[in-house]
Amino acid sequence: MAAARSFRPFLLAGLMAALALSFSACGKDGGGEQAPERGDQAVARVDGKTVWASDVKREAVAQGLIGEGEPLDASSELFRRVLDEVVDQKLLASEALKRKLDKDPVAQRRLAAARERILGDMLVESVVSDAVNENAIRGLYQEQLKLAKRSEEIRARQIVVGTPAEAEQVRKLLAAGASFEALAMERSTDAATRFNGGDLGYFTTDVMPEAYDAALKDAKAGQVVGPFATEGGFAIVKVEDRRLEQPITLEAARPQIVRFLTYDQIRDLLEKLRGRAKVEVLVKGDGARPVPPADAPKAAPQPKTQTPTTQTPQAKGAQP
């Protein structure tokens, strides 16, 4: 271990957790060689007590270095660094016990609080892992698909020019069989779309300027409409396709669904526990319950594709 390592601020938090676990395990064999998890690997020993790969992974997750369930290669630099910190925590905790710091009343309160946090986290993890499963995720996704209202999408190309005379020239060239894409690249003044043949991608008319909504409302696939006045000049638009708006995929919706189901389970668990317990708040206040995290959905997620509102037609990549 490097003697010149800088002291890490989070080491104290780790020490409290290590002391809490040591305190709760008094009288048990702390140096047992049986792996705590199936397939676990012994990666170090501190005064004869084994440090397991799962100990290192748990610390890496606690620090936000990896996500829950992500692998951590025992040969990686990150693993060795976190292992170094776990060893430091165990050495500090062991020395604190030798000095009987755990017997101090203040220390015992802090240890008890750390133990309660750990047990609370374990309960939440257990409840969430049982409830937030693939069936629940797919079930909520299908439920929201049935509830979601799907608008009609249009895929179109446009040519924008500065004057009515230029627009009329473009219209005549198109009527004579000229390529819409080629004319868009040659004549259009809209920098956002001219170099991809005027392609606007798929959009719903509510995100477009009012003139587009009126012009495209009844247009059929393959039809050329315009010219009509827009903020950027005069537009001629070719409708390539009309279809129902594509729903969000399960994989794209999965993170939001998991957050919603997780928050829902935690809320229900706390409501049940508070309903069974006698809780007396002895300080004055407005009585408001803590607000949920900012990223916790307030209602079931609506799997509806959103298209940013624009004041002028913007280039969008065509969807498959």
Side-chain angles (χ1 to χ4, degrees):
M1 308 223 177
R5 274 196 318 273
S6 60
F7 183 81
R8 302 172 181 87
F10 53 78
L11 207 54
L12 289 178
L15 172 59
M16 292 303 299
L19 278 170
L21 292 176
S22 299
F23 187 63
S24 64
C26 283
K28 297 181 181 179
D29 180 12
E33 293 299 319
Q34 184 175 356
E37 298 181 10
R38 185 176 181 181
D40 216 341
Q41 176 186 358
V43 293
R45 285 190 177 85
V46 180
D47 292 334
K49 296 181 180 180
T50 303
V51 178
W52 299 93
S54 59
D55 299 329
V56 181
K57 291 179 183 177
R58 186 167 56 248
E59 179 64 22
V61 171
Q63 293 185 28
L65 300 175
I66 62 172
E68 188 70 49
E70 287 186 25
L72 181 58
D73 187 351
S75 64
S76 68
E77 178 62 29
L78 176 60
F79 187 96
R80 296 301 297 271
R81 176 164 64 84
V82 179
L83 171 60
D84 198 26
E85 295 164 6
V86 171
V87 169
D88 286 347
Q89 290 174 6
K90 290 185 177 295
L91 289 171
L92 288 169
S94 178
E95 182 62 22
L97 290 173
K98 289 177 183 177
R99 299 186 185 190
K100 302 187 184 302
L101 296 182
D102 59 310
K103 305 302 181 184
D104 182 82
V106 174
Q108 290 184 352
R109 289 176 61 83
R110 293 174 66 183
L111 289 168
R115 184 173 183 271
E116 287 174 354
R117 282 196 298 272
I118 294 169
L119 289 173
D121 288 345
M122 292 176 67
L123 174 62
V124 167
E125 290 169 6
S126 175
V127 170
V128 169
S129 65
D130 288 342
V132 184
N133 52 45
E134 189 64 21
N135 287 338
I137 293 170
R138 289 182 178 275
L140 182 56
Y141 174 73
Q142 293 298 330
E143 178 184 335
Q144 294 306 305
L145 282 186
K146 293 176 183 177
L147 296 174
K149 294 181 179 179
R150 296 167 63 188
S151 303
E152 187 179 43
E153 289 182 320
I154 297 174
R155 183 181 179 185
R157 295 180 184 273
Q158 70 170 1
I159 300 172
V160 180
V161 293
T163 67
E166 290 176 296
E168 185 61 24
Q169 287 180 352
V170 170
R171 188 190 66 78
K172 289 180 179 179
L173 289 171
L174 290 171
S179 165
F180 195 101
E181 294 91 325
L183 282 178
M185 296 183 70
E186 179 184 343
R187 302 278 185 109
S188 182
T189 61
D190 183 64
T193 60
R194 66 174 295 186
F195 295 110
N196 64 354
D199 194 1
L200 289 164
Y202 280 96
F203 57 88
T204 54
T205 56
D206 61 305
V207 305
M208 301 295 286
E210 188 175 344
Y212 285 79
D213 189 6
L216 300 176
K217 183 177 180 181
D218 299 318
K220 303 291 190 296
Q223 184 177 345
V224 176
V225 298
F228 56 86
T230 70
E231 292 181 4
F234 294 84
I236 298 174
V237 179
K238 180 182 179 182
V239 177
E240 299 278 0
D241 188 26
R242 300 184 78 111
R243 70 181 187 185
L244 283 178
E245 189 175 17
Q246 299 300 293
I248 187 172
T249 65
L250 171 60
E251 290 313 306
R254 183 182 295 275
Q256 188 180 3
I257 291 175
V258 169
R259 282 196 301 272
F260 174 78
L261 291 173
T262 299
Y263 172 71
D264 199 45
Q265 287 298 314
I266 295 172
R267 182 195 60 195
D268 287 349
L269 173 62
L270 288 173
E271 286 181 355
K272 290 176 182 177
L273 293 175
R274 281 180 170 266
R276 296 201 301 260
K278 181 180 180 181
V279 179
E280 298 179 80
V281 179
L282 304 179
V283 293
K284 292 182 179 180
D286 58 11
R289 291 294 303 277
V291 296
D295 64 347
K298 302 301 185 294
Q302 296 293 324
K304 184 176 187 296
T305 304
Q306 299 275 338
T307 308
T309 301
T310 56
Q311 294 302 315
T312 57
Q314 298 295 319
K316 293 193 274 185
Q319 300 180 18

